[in-house]
């Protein structure tokens, strides 16, 4: 697959630049581009042929030229010229966090290690600690990083896997001879990352499905295994898809089984056994007689096990079977409960669309309100709002409100929590916003005590209403910063502030388990798409999914609240800007 080759090319260029100690900005640009190419679901050759390389996020004219050179000639003159200056193996080693160019060179020279796998072996054998300046601790942390890299390259963020799965399922459904098609596995459970995609199909036989895959998809799949009940193929981006073929009569049992999770299935099987029943992908059977008692639908399987039907998002063996048995499953939040979005950006900071376009798009989604939350200036790189821009933005919003009423635009702000813990604007300016939300993007490597103190200070500020993406993690890229989640939860609860569930596909922050913990403590949540474009508003469904996986009920989520209750929440101070949410 050329996409993977282009990713490797860009990563190697980044490393070569690093070895040459080029500017971190250029290095990062190549790394970013590599990451974005790895997420493409389309063949990059087609993008190149259409002259659209520069539409890939992070790919500008210079990087596009390198990709074009590679796709045309099969090699990269640019990389080759740099390679002459560094031994080949050293490049790969520099990808590993904790192994800078200097270390990579030393490890290569003294251990003749050329690949990450070889370096991992060297770590396990305790050979790294014998080198100058490297101890047991470094050796262990490097080994951990190598293992993390391997894990990261395997799992796909849900936000990438989902559109691919949806394209596959809708193409299959449209093909004659296919009776039913549905996603299964971790995608159907909306898990934040996905190992492989699973698709379930009801059809007479696998030949029809094979035919549908070869002729009915918008891309050409690379089929790697094909049998009577299972076909495995690689989609663009080398993402593996397992397609199971079942007869319609056992659809429910198969859907239940292949949705998983494995742990949930084990819990169900035990419950079945306790009732003299056997559960597998063909149905639910009486052990004694072998006769089938359920299997056509998922609902009848759960019902026959004396359980309410369990939403796939909860199927992780995390208390859902007990809750379903006792009739205590929560009525989970649903997309249709969401009345608006609390986090969006416009061209006033780093967004791509103007306020009007964003607001109209939100209105078209059926929302009642949209909070515009551009960055404060503290986040230098995104051209935050200065006071003059702020005034213009406020005017523009006021004018648009009249046009779009009863739709509401909240003039919000994504306020930077500075390294010192101070907020980016003084209270008199903050008092002018309809809603103040705070984020920590800078000085993220501080020790836990300091980060936690900054978060607590923001939560305690009387004008701050929401703490955005509280953990700071980026899926597959950046772990959460060091902080004490329980203290943050306690502060949010005590001050009556909301924690965000950010739906931006690499964030999903708070993550499901943390959000569940916070929800159990009585914290309320705001859901935000963090849209930087009109399409970005669609990330709300991922935020909803996280909320569902966190067992959240609608009343725990601000986005569902009626206007008067919401107005009271965002303006427990006197509203400086009348008009917000019906308070005209
Ligand atoms: P992933 O792909 O790592 O994101 O996670 P899943 O949950 O999609 O796992 P996968 O693709 O290996 O299998 C899909 C589902 O099939 C899984 O959630 C449960 C079911 N399944 C697969 N293998 C087994 C098994 O050995 N035992 C049981 N009980 N269920 C299995
Ligand atoms: Ca899977
Ligand atoms: Ca699978
Ligand atoms: Zn934002």
């Amino acid at each position: 697959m050329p996409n993977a080759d282009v990713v490797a090319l860009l990563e190697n260029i980044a490393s070569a630049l690093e070895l040459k100690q080029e500017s971190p900005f250029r290095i990062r640009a190549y790394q970013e581009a590599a990451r974005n190419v790895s997420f493409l679901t389309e063949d990059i050759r087609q993008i190149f042929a259409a002259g659209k390389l520069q539409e890939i996020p992070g790919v500008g004219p210079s990087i596009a030229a390198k990709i074009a050179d590679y796709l045309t000639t099969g090699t990269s003159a640019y990389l080759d010229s740099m390679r002459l200056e560094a031994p080949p193996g050293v490049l790969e080693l520099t990808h590993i966090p904790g192994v800078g160019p200097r270390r990579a060179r030393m490890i290569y020279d003294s251990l003749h290690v050329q690949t990450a796998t070889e370096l991992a072996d060297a770590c396990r054998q305790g050979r790294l600690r014998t080198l100058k300046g490297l101890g047991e601790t470094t050796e262990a942390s490097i080994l951990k990083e190598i293992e993390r890299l391997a894990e990261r390259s395997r799992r796909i963020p849900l936000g990438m896997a989902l559109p691919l799965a949806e394209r596959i399922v809708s193409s299959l459904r449209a093909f004659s001879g296919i009776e039913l098609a549905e996603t299964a596995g971790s995608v159907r459970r909306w898990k934040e990352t996905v190992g492989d995609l699973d698709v379930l199909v009801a059809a007479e036989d696998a030949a029809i499905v094979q035919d549908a895959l070869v002729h009915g998809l918008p891309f050409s799949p690379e089929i790697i295994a094909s049998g009577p009940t299972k076909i495995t193929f690689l989609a663009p981006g080398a993402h593996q898809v397992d397609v199971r073929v079942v007869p319609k009569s056992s659809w429910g049992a198969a859907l239940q089984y292949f949705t998983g999770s494995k742990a949930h299935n084990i819990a169900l099987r035990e419950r079945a056994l306790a009732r003299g029943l056997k559960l597998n992908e063909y149905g639910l059977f009486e052990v004694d007689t072998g006769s089938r008692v359920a299997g056509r639908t998922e609902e009848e399987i759960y019902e026959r096990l004396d359980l309410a039907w369990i939403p796939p998002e909860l199927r992780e063996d995390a208390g859902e079977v007990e809750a379903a048995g006792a009739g205590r499953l929560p009525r989970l939040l649903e997309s249709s409960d969401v009345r608006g979005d609390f986090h969006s950006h416009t061209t006033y900071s780093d967004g791509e669309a103007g306020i009007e376009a964003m607001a109209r798009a939100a209105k078209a989604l059926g929302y009642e309100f949209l909070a515009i939350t551009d960055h404060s200036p503290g986040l230098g790189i995104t051209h935050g709002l200065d006071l003059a821009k702020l005034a213009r933005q406020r005017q523009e919003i006021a004018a648009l409100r009249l046009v779009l009423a009863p739709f509401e635009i909240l003039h919000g702000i994504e306020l930077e929590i500075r390294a010192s813990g101070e907020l980016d604007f003084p209270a008199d300016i903050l008092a002018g916003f309809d809603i103040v939300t705070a984020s920590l993007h800078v000085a993220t490597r501080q020790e836990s005590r300091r980060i936690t103190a900054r978060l607590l200070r923001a939560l305690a500020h009387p004008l701050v209403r929401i703490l955005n993406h509280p953990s700071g993690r980026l899926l597959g890229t950046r772990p959460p910063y060091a902080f004490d989640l329980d203290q943050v939860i306690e502060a949010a609860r005590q001050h009556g502030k909301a924690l965000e569930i950010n739906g931006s596909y690499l964030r999903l922050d708070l993550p499901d388990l943390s959000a569940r913990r916070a929800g159990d403590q009585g914290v309320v949540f705001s859901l935000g798409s963090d849209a930087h474009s009109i399409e970005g508003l669609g990330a709300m469904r991922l935020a909803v999914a996280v909320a569902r996986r966190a067992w959240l009920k609608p009343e725990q989520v601000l986005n569902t609240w009626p206007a008067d209750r919401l107005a009271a929440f965002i303006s427990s101070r006197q509203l400086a800007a009348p008009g917000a949410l019906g308070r005209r």
Side-chain angles (χ1 to χ4, degrees), residues 16-32:
L17 291 171
E18 206 172 339
L19 274 177
K20 290 180 68 183
Q21 310 207 316
E22 292 272 347
S23 97
F25 179 77
R26 277 188 71 202
I27 297 165
R28 179 133 184 81
Y30 277 94
Q31 289 165 340
E32 273 290 314

Side-chain angles (χ1 to χ4, degrees), residues 155 184-187 189 191 193-198 242 244 256-263 265-266 269:
R155 296 194 70 84
S186 48
V187 172
R189 302 197 312 278
K191 201 173 143 107
T193 62
V194 167
D196 65 4
L197 282 71
D198 298 280
D242 282 346
R244 314 276 174 162
Q256 195 291 311
Y257 183 87
F258 292 113
T259 296
S261 66
K262 216 167 177 172
N265 288 356
I266 290 168
R269 272 206 306 267

Side-chain angles (χ1 to χ4, degrees), residues 394 410-413 427-437 461-465 497 566-578 580 583:
R394 185 151 309 160
L410 300 180
H411 190 199
I413 181 84
D428 59 332
I429 294 175
L430 292 183
F433 289 102
D434 297 323
I435 186 160
V436 176
T437 75
H461 191 290
L463 296 177
V464 170
R465 284 289 163 273
K497 305 298 171 67
L566 192 54
F569 175 86
I570 67 177
S571 63
S572 40
R573 64 196 163 88
Q574 289 308 309
L575 255 193
R583 280 248 180 143

Side-chain angles (χ1 to χ4, degrees), residues 37-260:
V37 170
S38 79
F39 291 149
L40 292 175
T41 53
E42 214 180 322
D43 190 325
I44 193 160
R45 284 172 300 191
Q46 285 166 10
I47 301 177
F48 173 49
K52 291 184 170 170
L53 282 179
Q54 292 193 43
E55 288 179 19
I56 302 169
V59 174
S62 154
I63 294 181
K66 309 294 190 304
I67 298 175
D69 175 38
Y70 178 77
L71 289 178
T72 321
T73 67
T75 60
S76 167
Y78 181 65
L79 181 60
D80 289 346
S81 74
M82 284 194 292
R83 272 203 169 123
L84 293 175
E85 302 166 30
V90 180
L91 278 183
E92 185 179 338
L93 300 184
T94 58
H95 293 310
I96 302 158
V99 184
R102 273 211 347 257
R103 259 187 196 166
R105 183 123 215 173
M106 179 181 68
I107 292 169
Y108 172 82
D109 288 342
S110 36
L111 298 179
H112 306 291
V113 154
Q114 300 224 23
T115 65
T117 320
E118 287 173 14
L119 181 57
D121 285 341
C123 290
R124 289 190 196 100
Q125 295 156 2
R127 288 194 284 140
L128 207 62
R129 67 184 75 159
T130 62
L131 302 185
K132 209 177 93 208
L134 291 168
E136 240 173 277
T137 321
T138 322
E139 187 180 69
S141 83
I142 287 176
L143 180 58
K144 223 173 115 195
E145 291 292 354
I146 297 172
E147 286 166 351
R148 228 164 50 88
L149 274 175
E151 166 76 7
R152 164 194 312 180
S153 57
R154 272 207 319 275
R155 296 194 70 84
I156 322 160
L158 176 66
M160 300 301 305
L162 195 61
L164 177 59
E166 287 169 338
R167 279 208 293 168
I168 294 168
V169 165
S170 67
S171 305
L172 289 175
R173 281 180 185 154
F175 206 85
S176 73
I178 304 259
E179 298 171 281
L180 295 165
E182 190 61 76
T183 59
S186 48
V187 172
R188 185 163 178 246
R189 302 197 312 278
W190 295 77
K191 201 173 143 107
E192 63 185 27
T193 62
V194 167
D196 65 4
L197 282 71
D198 298 280
V199 171
L200 190 66
V201 177
E204 289 277 320
D205 64 84
I208 297 170
V209 181
Q210 169 109 6
D211 197 33
L213 292 173
V214 173
H215 301 291
L217 295 180
F219 52 82
S220 45
E222 186 184 324
I223 296 185
I224 55 179
S226 185
T229 59
K230 180 177 168 183
I231 303 167
T232 299
F233 70 87
L234 297 182
H239 301 319
Q240 183 176 317
V241 185
D242 282 346
V243 181
R244 314 276 174 162
V245 185
V246 300
K248 212 173 163 184
S249 55
S250 57
W251 173 258
L255 186 59
Q256 195 291 311
Y257 183 87
F258 292 113
T259 296

Side-chain angles (χ1 to χ4, degrees), residues 279 359 535:
L279 177 64
E535 304 76 56

